[in-house]
Amino acid sequence: MNWLKWITHAKEVITFFKKNYEHIKSIALIFLIGLSLVLTWSLWTFKPSYPSLEGARIVKKQEVDVEAEVKQLVYPTQVIYHSGNDLYGLEANSLIRDFHMGLNETKFMFDTGAKSSRSFDPDEKFLRDNKYVEIIYPTGITQDIYKEIFSFETDVQGKLPKMDRIFLYQDKLTDSIEGYLVSYQAPRKMQKITAANNKLNPLIKNMDEWVENGSFTPYINYDVETADKEGQAEVTKRYYFPKNSLELTRYTYFSNSTGEDTYEMYKKALFKDPLAVKSASDKNQITYADGTAAMVVNEVMNRFTYTNFSGNRNQNSTPNISPLYQSKDYINTHAGWGNPYILSDLTGDSAGFWLFIENLPVLDPEMQMSLVWLENELKEYQRSLTQLQLGQKPDLSQKMTIPSGFEVIKELEEKEYNMNYIQDIRIGLTMKKQKQPHIYRLEPQWFINSNIDSKGWRPLFTETGKEGF
C-alpha cells in the first residue's frame, strides 16, 4: 500500500539524519557564518547615494508653481543717459524692464582688438565725447553669469573681472550698438563688446525723445574720491541722484496669512525626513530640528533662519559653482520664491536677494533673502515668510514726494558720514505691516547701506537727526 511506502521512506530519512547529524550541523554552521560575514561586509562598505536621495526630495517638491531663471534674477535698477555734460536718469520706472528685456534678447560678441580690454577710468575722454547709456546692476556679476544672460556668441581669452554696469552707444559710422562691460570694483576693468543683432537699437535711438517727454529726468553725479599711490584724487565710487525731488507712489497690498500651514510647507521642503523633525516654542519663536539641521521661525519678524549642521557630503562634486546658480536651483525646488526677487549681492560663498515690487527693491532688512554655501552644500538660508498678493492691490495708492539729490548730498555732509564706509545709497521701499490684518504699506524713500556695523540698510532721512559715521 502507498502509505506503507511513505512510512518506509520517512524511516530511511530519519535514519540518515541521525547517522549524519554532526555533518549536517557543521555544514549549516559554516553557511550561517559565511552569510554573516557577507552581510557585515555589506553594512560596513555601504555608501548611500546622496544625489539619488536629493533627487527623490526634488520630485516631492515639484509643486512649485513658478521657477525663476538667472535672466530674471540679474536685473538692473538704474539707467543713466550721458549726453555731453548732462545726465538723465531712469529709476522706479517700467522702462527699465524694456532695457532689461533688450539686453536679454541681444546677442553680443567680445571685441578682441588691442585696446578692447583695459583699465577703467570714469573720466575717460572717449566717454565725455560720446552720448551713451549706463545700465547699473546692484552687485558685481562674474563672467560665467554675464556670458549666459547676455548670450555671447564669441569667447574671450583669459578671465574677465566682475561686471556691475554696461555702457552702450551707437557707432556713428555703422549705427550698430557697441559698448563696454565695466567694473567699478577693483581691479577696475572694461571689456569692449558689440551687439550682433538690433534688439537694442530702438532703445538707444529713442534716448533724446525720452528726455523730451520726461521719461528720463535730470540727474547729478556724486563722487567718492580717495588718494591713489601718487597722492592724486581717484574716483572710487560714483552715485547718480535725481536733480529734483521725485514724485513716486505709496502702495498698499494684502498678504497671505502666515501660520502652521506655512511652517509645515517649509518644514517639508527643507528637511530630509519631515517625520523625524521635532518642534519647540519659546517667546515668539518656534524651532524645528532633526539633529542635522534646524529651522528657527521668528514670529514677530515673520521670517526664518534654516541652518544645516551636517558635514560636507559633496567633496568630490564640481568645484566653483556660483552661489547664484546654487541658490536659484535650491529655491526653485524647495517651496519656491513666493514673490519676485532680484539679485542684490554675490560673493564667493553667498547670494542675497531683494524683494522687487513696482520697479523698486524692498530694503527693509527683515524682507531680504540670503543663502550661504560651503563646498556646494547649503549652510544657511534666511528669508521672510511674508508673501504679498500682487494681483489684488487695493485701491489705496497715494502719490508722495521724496527729496532731491541735492538734499541727499546735504544730508550726507551735515551728518558727516564717512563715505569710505558707505556701500550704497539708493531709493527703495520700506514695507510696514498695518493695524488691519494682512495689509502692508510700501513707501519709497532714500536708503543708505554701510559696512561699519551689521545693521545694513537703513533710511537716510530720519526724524531723530541722529549723527552719521
Side-chain angles (χ1 to χ4, degrees):
M1 297 178 65
N2 288 335
W3 62 271
L4 291 175
K5 291 182 179 180
W6 281 107
I7 292 174
T8 303
H9 284 305
K11 288 181 178 180
E12 291 175 353
V13 171
I14 292 171
T15 302
F16 175 80
F17 273 100
K18 287 182 177 180
K19 290 181 178 181
N20 299 282
Y21 174 74
E22 294 298 329
H23 294 293
I24 294 173
K25 186 170 69 174
S26 299
I27 293 172
L29 184 59
I30 292 171
F31 172 77
L32 292 174
I33 292 173
L35 179 61
S36 176
L37 292 173
V38 171
L39 293 175
T40 302
W41 175 256
S42 299
L43 183 62
W44 285 348
T45 59
F46 174 69
K47 292 182 179 180
S49 176
Y50 289 109
S52 298
L53 293 175
E54 183 67 17
R57 290 198 299 132
I58 290 175
V59 170
K60 182 186 69 174
K61 299 174 181 67
Q62 290 304 313
E63 70 271 8
V64 174
D65 293 331
V66 180
E67 296 186 3
E69 300 294 336
V70 171
K71 287 190 175 185
Q72 297 171 307
L73 298 172
V74 180
Y75 198 95
T77 52
Q78 199 173 46
V79 178
I80 302 297
Y81 176 42
H82 299 254
S83 180
N85 293 323
D86 297 323
L87 295 173
Y88 301 91
L90 189 65
E91 204 160 7
N93 191 304
S94 59
L95 265 178
I96 292 182
R97 177 176 173 79
D98 294 339
F99 281 89
H100 172 68
M101 296 302 295
L103 286 168
N104 285 349
E105 294 171 359
T106 299
K107 295 184 181 298
F108 286 97
M109 297 182 295
F110 286 112
D111 192 293
T112 56
K115 296 183 179 181
S116 60
S117 180
R118 51 200 173 99
S119 298
F120 168 65
D121 180 357
D123 292 321
E124 288 203 41
K125 184 177 184 301
F126 93 92
L127 293 175
R128 297 196 303 270
D129 294 343
N130 286 278
K131 292 183 177 182
Y132 66 97
V133 178
E134 182 175 355
I135 302 172
I136 304 172
Y137 292 83
T139 187
I141 54 177
T142 52
Q143 179 179 345
D144 58 327
I145 297 172
Y146 60 71
K147 283 181 66 175
E148 175 184 341
I149 61 177
F150 300 140
S151 303
F152 280 94
E153 292 187 333
T154 59
D155 211 339
V156 66
Q157 298 295 324
K159 185 177 181 180
L160 298 177
K162 279 188 173 183
M163 177 277 294
D164 55 23
R165 62 196 69 204
I166 301 177
F167 294 165
L168 295 173
Y169 57 89
Q170 193 166 21
D171 185 272
K172 296 177 181 179
L173 298 178
T174 65
D175 282 345
S176 63
I177 303 299
E178 298 180 353
Y180 286 87
L181 300 175
V182 179
S183 173
Y184 259 84
Q185 305 172 14
R188 300 203 301 183
K189 295 287 185 180
M190 54 194 301
Q191 169 65 48
K192 189 172 182 180
I193 57 175
T194 303
N197 59 23
N198 60 1
K199 295 293 185 180
L200 284 169
N201 289 55
L203 294 171
I204 305 302
K205 287 181 178 179
N206 287 336
M207 294 306 302
D208 289 326
E209 293 181 15
W210 280 328
V211 170
E212 291 179 6
N213 67 27
S215 297
F216 276 75
T217 58
Y219 266 59
I220 58 175
N221 66 284
Y222 178 67
D223 292 342
V224 177
E225 297 180 343
T226 57
D228 60 16
K229 295 179 180 179
E230 287 75 32
Q232 301 295 319
E234 178 184 39
V235 177
T236 55
K237 290 181 183 178
R238 173 165 290 175
Y239 299 102
Y240 297 104
F241 302 144
K243 186 175 183 179
N244 305 309
S245 57
L246 283 183
E247 185 179 75
L248 298 177
T249 305
R250 177 194 294 124
Y251 298 95
T252 304
Y253 282 98
F254 290 115
S255 71
N256 295 336
S257 60
T258 303
E260 289 297 330
D261 291 343
T262 309
Y263 308 152
E264 188 70 17
M265 178 185 71
Y266 281 103
K267 185 186 81 172
K268 290 180 178 179
L270 301 181
F271 289 94
K272 297 288 188 296
D273 183 5
L275 296 178
V277 176
K278 306 297 182 183
S279 64
S281 300
D282 180 40
K283 294 181 181 179
N284 299 317
Q285 179 173 292
I286 305 175
T287 301
Y288 298 86
D290 67 352
T292 63
M295 180 178 74
V296 180
V297 178
N298 186 319
E299 295 181 289
V300 176
M301 299 180 67
N302 201 30
R303 63 184 285 115
F304 73 76
T305 299
Y306 171 82
T307 306
N308 179 14
F309 304 118
S310 61
N312 179 44
R313 301 188 302 262
N314 300 312
Q315 296 178 359
N316 297 322
S317 59
T318 305
N320 301 324
I321 299 176
S322 170
L324 172 59
Y325 289 105
Q326 292 177 307
S327 301
K328 183 262 299 183
D329 291 341
Y330 187 86
I331 298 173
N332 279 347
T333 55
H334 293 75
W337 300 80
N339 285 141
Y341 283 79
I342 64 170
L343 181 69
S344 63
D345 184 55
L346 185 63
T347 69
D349 61 2
S350 67
F353 300 91
W354 286 330
L355 177 63
F356 198 66
I357 306 293
E358 303 291 351
N359 304 296
L360 280 174
V362 178
L363 296 182
D364 292 316
E366 62 266 26
M367 291 306 302
Q368 295 175 36
M369 181 193 300
S370 66
L371 296 91
V372 180
W373 298 84
L374 177 63
E375 297 179 343
N376 298 333
E377 184 172 8
L378 180 68
K379 301 306 295 182
E380 185 179 86
Y381 176 23
Q382 296 190 50
R383 68 167 297 162
S384 172
L385 292 164
T386 303
Q387 183 175 335
L388 299 178
Q389 298 177 5
L390 299 179
Q392 302 180 27
K393 181 170 58 179
D395 190 21
L396 295 174
S397 300
Q398 297 175 319
K399 293 294 183 180
M400 60 174 295
T401 301
I402 66 170
S404 68
F406 290 114
E407 293 174 87
V408 170
I409 295 172
K410 181 181 178 182
E411 182 77 4
L412 293 172
E413 292 175 349
E414 287 184 352
K415 296 291 181 63
E416 298 181 347
Y417 281 96
N418 186 337
M419 297 306 297
N420 292 321
Y421 295 118
I422 302 303
Q423 295 290 93
D424 198 1
I425 307 166
R426 65 170 60 241
I427 299 171
L429 294 171
T430 181
M431 182 170 156
K432 301 301 181 185
K433 190 174 183 179
Q434 303 302 289
K435 292 181 179 179
Q436 302 91 332
H438 314 310
I439 294 182
Y440 284 85
R441 187 176 69 184
L442 281 70
E443 185 171 304
Q445 58 181 275
W446 283 101
F447 282 83
I448 189 168
N449 184 23
S450 72
N451 59 5
I452 199 171
D453 54 30
S454 59
K455 293 182 179 180
W457 288 96
R458 69 184 75 175
L460 174 62
F461 295 93
T462 61
E463 298 179 358
T464 61
K466 184 179 178 180
E467 292 298 320
F469 38 80

